[in-house]
Structures are given as structure tokens and as C-alpha cells.
Amino acid sequence: VLIVTVFARHAPHHKEAVVAAFNRAGEFTLMCGDGTNDVGALKRAHVGISIISAPELEAKQRSAKDKLTKLKSEEKKATKKKMKSRKDTLRRSELFQESLRQLAEAEDGAHQVALGDASVASPFTSRALSIQCCKD
């Protein structure tokens, strides 16, 4: 049975101490970080993953995803009520295309964000705007 422990929201020296303690105990460690304060722990961990932080792009992506979710919900309601006027369908289609364009812009913007100290300290850098789990 695998046991995973997650530590979050620690001061930089605590992050480093936690990783070092697990390493001394013979455990394998992984550290995710996005800034200079994470460099020490990223270097000590068996696996260090830096995450690019771009709040404005994250907000843009979140907004686009929220709009898409709302549009899908409206589409389901309209389908159930069989009230699909051509005008409403065109409006939803335009809004859907605009949301997809905004989502693509946010994802493209992540590839243009400058790498910071955390990226230099760790062998892996994620250019995804979120660390949420994904299922392929």
C-alpha cells in the first residue's frame, strides 16, 4: 500500500527541512514550486517540478472555462425544452467560439512566460496554467 503525504504552505526553510527529513528516512520526494523561495527544496527533492506562475493568464483561462461551462448548461436546458431558436443558437455559437479563442490565447501565453529561478533549479518545468490532476 502506497502512502503519500502532502505538505503545503510552508516557509522556505521548512520546505527544505521536510524534503531533507524524508530523504534521510529513505523515502522518495517530489517538490512542486513556482518561485525563488522553493529553490532549496526543489534541488533537494528526488523530483523537482517548477510551475510557471502567471496570474493574469490563469484568470483569463478560468473565465473562458466558466463561460464554456455556462454555455453548455444553457444548451442542455434549451435542448430539453426544445426551444432552440436560430437567433439563440447563433448567439451561443458565437459565445462558444469566443470562449475557445480566449482559452487558446491563455494557453499560448503560458509558452511566452519567462522562466524564473524555480525553473533553473528543477529539471522539469510545467507550462500548464494549473496543477490540477488530469486524466488522459
Side-chain angles (χ1 to χ4, degrees), residues 57 60-65 68 96-112 127 129:
L57 292 176
K60 191 174 189 177
Q61 183 186 48
R62 192 172 27 259
S63 172
K65 284 185 176 181
L68 287 171
F96 189 78
Q97 292 299 323
E98 176 64 18
S99 296
L100 287 176
R101 187 188 59 73
Q102 288 176 348
L103 191 58
E105 282 178 10
E107 290 172 359
D108 287 344
H111 295 289
Q112 298 170 8
R127 288 192 178 267
L129 293 176

Side-chain angles (χ1 to χ4, degrees), residues 32-102:
C32 292
D34 67 351
T36 302
N37 62 333
D38 299 317
V39 170
L42 284 166
K43 284 186 173 184
R44 284 185 179 259
H46 290 100
V47 178
I49 301 173
S50 65
I51 300 164
I52 293 175
S53 180
E56 67 284 346
L57 292 176
E58 292 168 12
K60 191 174 189 177
Q61 183 186 48
R62 192 172 27 259
S63 172
K65 284 185 176 181
D66 289 347
K67 286 178 187 174
L68 287 171
T69 302
K70 184 178 177 183
L71 287 168
K72 287 178 184 177
S73 175
E74 288 176 5
E75 184 66 26
K76 282 183 183 179
K77 288 177 186 176
T79 301
K80 283 183 181 178
K81 293 181 180 180
K82 300 191 187 229
M83 298 176 64
K84 290 174 101 176
S85 72
R86 180 153 173 77
K87 185 178 178 182
D88 285 342
T89 302
L90 284 173
R91 182 190 65 83
R92 276 195 295 275
S93 177
E94 288 170 358
L95 290 171
F96 189 78
Q97 292 299 323
E98 176 64 18
S99 296
L100 287 176
R101 187 188 59 73
Q102 288 176 348

